[in-house]
């Protein structure tokens, strides 16, 4: 038996998320309560790589964890927007990068026990840097590092954002396969 929703009520809502509580029958057929965070937008992430095998990280303070976080560039997909178009827009906004040879690297669910957030991550080749234009709520720092250094940051716990960790680890495996 699968989960069966009996009733649902919205506990909280804003322009980005909806938090709901559902009365359910669990897979054992017993009544239960389940909370869910619904993301109103899909998320896209980007690993831009230069000809010199460097990549770009974005640093910013994150309110939910009250900590500073180094991450791959990422953002939300607007309604009716294709995820690749959103990835190109977000990369340009946050870093000023114009890129080509876009490849979908990863499609993941961030924490499917409590949220329906879906993320697509793309790999691309950096063509040039132009002026960036981050959102007014973003106070971003950017650093350009050798990809191997970024991988080390994941391994020693300097990068802890789940989307960034998954994307960087997959990219490392692909780089290793290409070098063989």
């Amino acid at each position: 038996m699968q989960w069966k929703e009996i009733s649902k009520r919205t506990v909280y809502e804003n322009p980005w998320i909806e938090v709901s509580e559902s009365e359910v029958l669990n897979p054992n057929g017993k009544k239960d309560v389940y909370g869910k965070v619904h993301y109103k937008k899909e998320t896209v992430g980007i690993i831009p790589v230069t000809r010199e095998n460097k990549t770009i990280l974005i640093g910013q303070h994150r309110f939910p964890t009250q900590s500073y976080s180094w991450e791959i560039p990422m953002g939300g997909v607007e309604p009716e927007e294709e995820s690749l178009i959103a990835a190109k827009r977000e990369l340009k906004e946050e870093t000023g990068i114009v890129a080509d040879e876009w490849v979908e690297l990863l499609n993941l669910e961030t924490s499917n026990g409590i949220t329906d957030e879906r993320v697509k991550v793309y790999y691309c080749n950096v063509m040039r840097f132009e002026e960036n234009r981050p959102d007014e709520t973003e106070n971003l720092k950017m650093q350009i590092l050798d990809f191997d250094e970024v991988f080390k940051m994941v391994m020693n716990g300097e990068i802890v954002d789940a989307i960034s960790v998954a994307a960087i680890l997959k990219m490392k495996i692909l780089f290793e396969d290409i070098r063989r």
Side-chain angles (χ1 to χ4, degrees):
M1 179 178 170
Q2 296 181 355
W3 293 89
K4 182 178 178 186
E5 188 173 64
I6 299 167
S7 66
K8 174 183 163 185
R9 71 181 183 95
T10 299
V11 178
Y12 172 78
E13 186 171 16
N14 68 28
W16 305 279
I17 63 168
E18 174 191 6
V19 179
S20 63
E21 181 178 88
S22 296
E23 184 180 347
V24 297
L25 290 178
N26 68 29
N28 295 323
K30 296 187 179 183
K31 280 191 174 183
D32 212 338
V33 176
Y34 210 101
K36 175 181 159 183
V37 178
H38 165 67
Y39 278 75
K40 295 182 178 180
K41 294 181 179 182
E42 180 181 315
T43 302
V44 289
I46 308 98
I47 297 186
V49 179
T50 68
R51 287 181 188 88
E52 298 81 24
N53 203 31
K54 295 181 183 288
T55 193
I56 288 77
L57 293 178
I58 297 296
Q60 61 186 311
H61 185 269
R62 290 296 191 177
F63 177 78
T65 58
Q66 287 298 307
S67 62
Y68 199 82
S69 180
W70 285 104
E71 307 164 0
I72 63 172
M74 64 182 103
V77 180
E78 297 299 328
E80 308 301 319
E81 185 179 35
E82 293 180 26
S83 60
L84 179 57
I85 300 301
K88 291 177 180 182
R89 176 182 48 75
E90 285 291 339
L91 183 64
K92 177 87 166 63
E93 283 176 13
E94 292 189 355
T95 67
I97 291 174
V98 176
D100 66 357
E101 296 184 39
W102 289 79
V103 176
E104 187 175 317
L105 177 67
L106 194 60
N107 190 347
L108 61 94
E109 298 170 350
T110 57
S111 185
N112 61 16
I114 60 167
T115 181
D116 63 359
E117 182 183 29
R118 300 192 63 78
V119 180
K120 284 187 180 174
V121 178
Y122 294 89
Y123 155 85
C124 63
N125 291 316
V126 174
M127 288 174 39
R128 67 183 179 276
F129 288 84
E130 296 179 355
E131 183 180 351
N132 67 332
R133 292 198 170 104
D135 291 338
E136 64 182 30
T137 61
E138 296 175 319
N139 183 11
L140 307 177
K141 292 183 182 173
M142 185 172 75
Q143 60 177 331
I144 302 171
L145 299 166
D146 286 329
F147 186 81
D148 288 337
E149 181 63 29
V150 171
F151 175 72
K152 287 177 189 170
M153 291 173 72
V154 168
M155 297 308 291
N156 69 23
E158 290 178 71
I159 297 175
V160 296
D161 169 68
I163 297 166
S164 299
V165 169
I168 292 163
L169 292 178
K170 184 162 185 185
M171 196 73 193
K172 175 69 170 173
I173 291 168
L174 291 176
F175 274 164
E176 294 301 317
D177 285 347
I178 291 169
R179 291 178 185 161
R180 289 184 197 157

